[in-house]
Amino acid sequence: MTIEELRTRAEAVLEEVEEVIVGKHEPLSLILAAIIAGGHVLIEDYPGLAKTLAARCLAQALGLSFRRIQFTPDLLPADIVGTHIFRRDEGKFEFQPGPIFTQILLADEINRATPKTQSALLEAMQENQVTVEGTTYPLPQPFVVLATQNPIEYEGTFPLPEAQVDRFLIRVRFGYPDKDEEVEILRRRIARGSEEIHVRTISSAEEVLAMRAAVETVYVDPDLLQYMADLVVRTRRHAALSLGASPRGTLALLRMSRAWAALHGRDFVTPDDVKAVAIPALSHRLILSPELWTKETRAEDIVAEILSQTPVPKIPA
């Protein structure tokens, strides 16, 4: 697949999804970029902002299998990865795969499950496989975890540990629609005449894998590699942060900037591509200094500040 073919197919997928999801072009584009970059996405926002609906619509438009797990405190690892069942007629145990054996897995309200259950996703997210009782089972490809969590609910939740948050390629937020967008949502609901939502299949699993291969051909100038590293190093030295981004954050910048360039039909990365993905790729990897916890400073603000203060390389046309 060429970069131009990737752009055309990606635009068609976004257009189809945006027939349902109103006014969220940028976050939807970021999620799609993460999928074709081979990463996982943490969607963090308030209830009722179409996080779950967006995940399902993207899966349908991309032609990928989709499963949803509602995370709760009593959810067990076996409820996710599967377990062995004894077949009396055959006199042996047989592995019964869990819902993780899909291509897009929606981990809904992931922070409601216990750390033990959350950790069941770690091997799958990193290695694209799960191990049950010493036997390793590969997951369908492509495999993507789209996890949601509500930032306002703390009682009965278990915050994701830093090591697990770091495994998400990006974190995105949808935000509330403005008044015109809200009216458009109502218009479309009336026009549908039903709560049922139908999304056409635009792509396929094979094409998504071809998109990932095409992203690997996107050129990155050596000066831009220096720029990415400079951004990450500055997070480690920032006075407002007790923990900066790891090398996985630098790799996330690279992967996302290449995918973002490809989505826009370019086979090379520009500084603007890096800037466009820096906040979603880095902010969730940062930990604010304790003295700032009671203030309204956000990690996103720190990344924006670093972007404004870091010299941008001049890439020859």
Side-chain angles (χ1 to χ4, degrees), residues 114-133:
T114 62
K116 181 179 181 179
T117 302
Q118 292 173 8
S119 67
L121 288 175
L122 290 181
E123 181 185 12
M125 293 172 68
Q126 190 67 27
E127 308 291 341
N128 290 316
Q129 64 185 29
V130 295
T131 301
V132 181
E133 296 184 10

Side-chain angles (χ1 to χ4, degrees), residues 155-195:
E155 186 174 348
T157 63
F158 303 85
L160 296 178
E162 288 76 13
Q164 186 163 341
V165 172
D166 202 38
R167 281 174 167 78
F168 287 100
L169 188 63
I170 61 171
R171 179 180 65 186
V172 298
R173 293 189 170 101
F174 279 8
Y176 285 110
D178 61 31
K179 182 180 177 180
D180 291 339
E181 291 168 348
E182 198 120 21
V183 171
E184 181 61 22
I185 291 172
L186 299 177
R187 285 200 190 105
R188 293 188 186 186
R189 170 58 184 86
I190 292 173
R192 282 199 309 271
S194 168
E195 291 291 343

Side-chain angles (χ1 to χ4, degrees), residues 1 13 41 63 102 108 111 173 207 226 248 253 283 300:
M1 177 179 288
V13 168
V41 181
T102 187
D108 214 356
N111 56 331
R173 293 189 170 101
E207 288 187 335
Q226 294 284 345
R248 189 179 281 133
L253 265 184
S283 61
E300 288 88 341

